[in-house]
Amino acid sequence: MANSIEANCLLCMQQSDIFRKLNDTELHSINSCRVSIKYHQGEILFKQGSPCHDFVCITQGLVKLYIESESEKRIIIGFAKPIDYIFVPGAFTDKRHHFTAVALEETTACLVGADVFQQILEMNSSFAGAFLTKISEQAIRMFEQLSSLTHKQMPGRLADVLLCLSQKIYNANPFVTSLSRQDIADMSGMTKESAIRILKTFKDDNLIRTEGDLIELLNIPMLETISRNG
């Protein structure tokens, strides 16, 4: 079960870079409505369709973001890691979450009241500009993933996933992942069985090495070629 912990925005060494645009008074306003919560692996930070009251900043751990259809099929649209803000468009429109966020491992997050956040955006143009840049970057990543899911064959989509995990999520090779094979399938828009089959093909072709939760990319140039060719 999620637990509240102590933190202070004015003294925090894990501030998102957008907070560098704030003065002490504005930081104090955010700190006065902020709570820091620890989530265990598998806990939901917020659920698609639920009311949107807060902006969420990840200060430790890893969170997956996914859209769930009425048939309960999931598509992972991104991840949040330290020090990422999860920007929720519903905060500015219908006050609802349009995707679900789940902790993939032990995670700590700061929740900031959306109304206070919006007030500061209106008063501080530098902060608003940095905020818009972050939202734009997140939107571009989602568009790139959508392009991969709609224009590439399954090997290309899975190559994209492996390269993304190594180069953007874990920043390591080899890396140990907390993602299940179902999560990898949900990232690539295919069934679990198809994802496992293509992973085995990549492994047989000496493109990757897998050992439990460890994945190593053995031939990155070839995986990049598969990704480009789709």
Side-chain angles (χ1 to χ4, degrees):
M1 186 175 183
N3 297 310
S4 178
I5 59 177
E6 292 294 327
N8 189 317
C9 293
L10 281 76
L11 304 176
C12 183
M13 301 300 294
Q14 293 180 297
Q15 285 184 5
S16 173
D17 55 1
I18 65 173
F19 282 103
R20 296 171 189 164
K21 305 294 184 179
L22 301 179
N23 58 41
D24 287 349
T25 299
E26 291 165 336
L27 279 172
H28 182 75
S29 295
I30 285 182
N31 189 64
S32 65
C33 72
R34 178 212 45 79
V35 293
S36 185
I37 297 179
K38 182 175 182 179
Y39 299 88
H40 299 298
Q41 184 178 20
E43 281 197 276
I44 295 176
L45 281 70
F46 55 78
K47 177 76 173 174
Q48 180 177 325
S50 65
C52 176
H53 300 302
D54 306 288
F55 286 96
V56 181
C57 182
I58 305 304
T59 56
Q60 180 181 332
L62 182 65
V63 173
K64 67 177 178 181
L65 314 173
Y66 65 84
I67 296 173
E68 191 170 10
S69 68
E70 292 183 2
S71 62
E72 298 187 357
K73 182 177 181 181
R74 297 176 178 178
I75 297 179
I76 293 178
I77 59 172
F79 297 88
K81 59 181 183 176
I83 308 165
D84 288 338
Y85 245 92
I86 303 176
F87 297 110
V88 284
F92 298 97
T93 53
D94 57 2
K95 305 301 181 183
R96 297 284 175 181
H97 288 293
H98 291 265
F99 52 85
T100 297
V102 176
L104 281 169
E105 53 194 50
E106 296 292 302
T107 294
T108 302
C110 286
L111 280 60
V112 177
D115 53 347
V116 172
F117 207 91
Q118 289 174 312
Q119 290 172 9
I120 294 176
L121 284 171
E122 293 172 0
M123 295 185 297
N124 185 327
S125 59
S126 295
F127 180 64
F131 178 81
L132 287 172
T133 297
K134 288 291 186 181
I135 289 180
S136 299
E137 290 171 349
Q138 187 179 70
I140 289 170
R141 289 195 296 270
M142 290 183 181
F143 291 152
E144 290 174 345
Q145 182 175 0
L146 178 62
S147 177
S148 174
L149 291 176
T150 56
H151 296 144
K152 295 185 179 183
Q153 300 297 318
M154 290 191 291
R157 301 203 306 257
L158 194 57
D160 280 351
V161 167
L162 294 172
L163 291 167
C164 174
L165 291 175
S166 175
Q167 298 172 359
K168 298 180 180 179
I169 305 303
Y170 295 105
N171 300 311
N173 185 37
F175 57 91
V176 176
T177 179
S178 49
L179 290 168
S180 66
R181 294 299 186 259
Q182 183 62 60
D183 287 328
I184 291 175
D186 290 343
M187 282 185 71
S188 52
M190 63 182 78
T191 65
K192 179 181 177 180
E193 292 74 21
S194 294
I196 291 174
R197 175 174 55 80
I198 297 172
L199 282 171
K200 184 179 185 304
T201 299
F202 284 178
K203 187 174 181 179
D204 292 342
D205 291 342
N206 293 317
L207 301 181
I208 64 171
R209 177 175 71 91
T210 62
E211 186 176 326
D213 293 332
L214 182 142
I215 299 177
E216 182 177 7
L217 309 189
L218 300 177
N219 192 336
I220 291 177
M222 182 56 69
L223 288 170
E224 291 174 338
T225 296
I226 293 171
S227 170
R228 283 194 302 271
N229 294 337

